[in-house]
Amino acid sequence: MAGIGLSELGDALDTRLADADARLLRGYPGDRGRRQPVHTVYVPADAIRPGLAAEWGRRALACLDEHAPDTATLAAATGLDEAAVADCLPRVRAKLQTEPVEDLRIDLEDGYGARPDEEEDAHVTAAAEALCADLAEGTAPPYWGIRMKGMESAGRRRGLRSLGLFLRTVLERAGGLPDGLTLTLPKITAVEQVEAMAWLTAELEKRFGLAEGDLTFELQIETPQSILSHDGVAAVARMVHAAPGRVTALHYGTYDYSAACGVTAAFQSMAHPAADHAKAVMQLAAAGTGVWLSDGSTNVLPVGDTAQVHAAWRLHAGLVRRSLERAYYQGWDLHPHQLPTRYLATYAFYREAFEPAAERLKAYLGAAGGAIMDEPATAQALASALVRGLHCGALGDDEVAAAAGVSRSELEGFANRRVG
């Protein structure tokens, strides 16, 4: 074989494909190895105050106590299996006491509206100070940040002003850039707006003395133009790669997107076919890039009498489960009473997946025989499911280690390993 020059042909192939190899590694680096929050809570800037996350947890627990005082009632209200509810409820209650909000966003966009500059300045400063106070107390959510106004001509200067004021306040109060600080860019209609945001964050890093790449941001996908550009190209795919290393997540905006597609208010939903199409395109655009995907929200809130709360809980629990089954591991919550069903449905999902995933992964890692022969990518997905369950509190370290035969650190390493 050596006589026909295979080695030389191999060298030639490496040379021909070197640029493509480098482009693949650069554009599709794989998972970032960070914990993804199960939700983002959006709160108008003027409603942010110290201790807000803990307050949401107390309100969620009070809602549970009032409207579902026992397991059977909660199972009937949510449509979840009673045995699963009994298994998950103690974990959910503990979560609501210790870490009720995983990601909190100060909202200066749709949920806040247009205010006089002096008023918005005051609210931005007060909100940033409140979250910095929680950070100092050790009670801040793992992720928190700001959704300022976007790059549209009417709001971009106001958005810049609020972003700059927010960052200055955080850096002064926290003494540096907190881990988990998150910026959200809304109302995107062109790839150039993402490129402008990348330029802006780089400029702000210089002005605030931050390291290059410190400021990252997520994209809110809530316009048809952010899914499909005028020439038929999947615009969101270009957006993901328009700011390498800075775009961290794609968040679907349920109601703005639905309305822009002509869906009447009564039928606007995370489960509408227009929503499913948009999120499928987002999912393809984000695959392999390390960019997280988040579903949107439901505006049917669990408030009112017990019948109204139960109806909203059932809807929310079903939508959370639906998102998880479609690999949208994050969503939005808009009210404290949505927290019980966010965690209950999420925990039930991961605990249902736990034993089969651990068994298949243990067989794969031990090269043992079994009824299912998994490929490396599938085995990595099994590990990722276990890691996500650990991160949110659905699973415990000891039970996962016993079932899968590996430690948490080994499991995380396997889940984040590049395959292919």
Side-chain angles (χ1 to χ4, degrees):
M1 295 292 288
I4 63 174
L6 291 184
S7 178
E8 290 84 351
L9 289 176
D11 291 342
L13 283 174
D14 287 343
T15 300
R16 290 177 66 92
L17 294 174
D19 289 345
D21 292 342
R23 188 167 60 249
L24 180 66
L25 289 172
R26 185 171 60 251
Y28 299 90
D31 195 276
R32 289 178 288 148
R34 298 197 68 184
R35 167 190 177 182
Q36 181 178 5
V38 301
H39 69 170
T40 299
V41 166
Y42 283 84
V43 180
D46 56 337
I48 300 285
R49 52 190 172 273
L52 181 69
E55 178 188 326
W56 272 49
R58 290 191 294 270
R59 291 173 63 184
L61 285 166
C63 185
L64 269 177
D65 292 339
E66 179 179 358
H67 297 291
D70 55 69
T71 299
T73 302
L74 184 58
T78 59
L80 296 173
D81 178 75
E82 186 171 348
V85 172
D87 179 40
C88 295
L89 186 55
R91 297 173 183 272
V92 171
R93 295 188 69 91
K95 180 75 169 182
L96 294 174
Q97 291 171 338
T98 58
E99 192 184 70
V101 175
E102 291 196 354
D103 184 21
L104 177 61
R105 201 71 72 251
I106 301 168
D107 189 16
L108 292 160
E109 218 249 337
D110 282 350
Y112 180 77
R115 312 283 184 97
D117 282 340
E118 295 75 11
E119 185 177 346
E120 183 163 332
D121 288 349
H123 289 153
V124 171
T125 302
E129 290 176 342
L131 290 177
C132 286
D134 287 347
L135 185 68
E137 291 291 325
T139 58
Y143 294 92
W144 55 270
I146 186 174
R147 177 171 73 165
M148 61 284 176
K149 293 173 176 63
M151 289 291 175
E152 297 174 294
S153 60
R156 69 172 68 113
R157 285 180 176 269
R158 180 62 258 188
L160 169 59
R161 178 167 168 163
S162 292
L163 176 57
L165 183 56
F166 171 76
L167 289 173
R168 186 180 72 189
T169 304
V170 168
L171 291 169
E172 289 175 351
R173 299 291 181 176
L177 199 67
D179 186 40
L181 187 104
T182 306
L183 312 177
T184 305
L185 181 66
K187 297 289 189 296
I188 306 166
T189 55
V191 176
E192 289 83 356
Q193 293 174 343
V194 179
E195 294 171 341
M197 185 65 177
W199 171 83
L200 176 59
T201 50
E203 290 298 314
L204 289 171
E205 286 166 350
K206 296 174 186 175
R207 284 160 173 74
F208 286 116
L210 300 172
E212 182 179 356
D214 273 355
L215 295 178
T216 59
F217 53 92
E218 55 193 20
L219 308 181
Q220 193 161 9
I221 305 303
E222 52 186 334
T223 68
Q225 296 88 349
S226 58
I227 292 294
L228 191 71
S229 62
H230 71 280
D231 56 1
V233 170
V236 66
R238 289 184 171 176
M239 291 174 183
V240 167
H241 298 280
R246 291 195 186 272
V247 175
T248 59
L250 303 177
H251 284 235
Y252 177 66
T254 306
Y255 298 99
D256 281 338
Y257 188 87
S258 299
C261 287
V263 181
T264 58
F267 298 100
Q268 292 174 4
S269 166
M270 295 156 61
H272 192 278
D276 283 341
H277 171 263
K279 289 179 287 187
V281 177
M282 292 164 60
Q283 194 168 47
L284 285 172
T289 65
V291 172
W292 292 334
L293 183 69
S294 175
D295 211 333
S297 63
T298 173
N299 59 6
V300 180
L301 303 181
V303 296
D305 61 27
T306 295
Q308 291 172 304
V309 170
H310 285 189
W313 271 351
R314 180 178 285 262
L315 173 65
H316 188 236
L319 288 171
V320 171
R321 173 74 186 210
R322 186 180 191 275
S323 296
L324 291 167
E325 289 177 353
R326 286 156 177 77
Y328 315 137
Y329 297 115
Q330 188 175 350
W332 293 3
D333 290 323
L334 307 176
H335 194 279
H337 295 177
Q338 290 179 319
L339 298 185
T341 37
R342 169 64 62 184
Y343 291 119
L344 190 63
T346 299
Y347 283 18
F349 175 81
Y350 286 119
R351 293 199 64 78
E352 179 183 320
F354 165 47
E355 289 188 4
E359 181 179 345
R360 287 173 62 180
L361 185 62
K362 187 174 185 178
Y364 174 84
L365 294 176
I372 301 175
M373 183 177 294
D374 287 311
E375 296 181 351
T378 301
Q380 185 180 39
L382 295 170
S384 295
L386 298 176
V387 168
R388 288 181 182 277
L390 286 166
H391 282 170
C392 71
L395 306 176
D397 286 353
D398 291 344
E399 63 178 342
V400 171
V406 291
S407 67
R408 178 168 180 158
S409 61
E410 291 172 317
L411 193 64
E412 290 182 337
F414 187 74
N416 298 327
R417 187 182 64 180
R418 184 179 178 87
V419 175

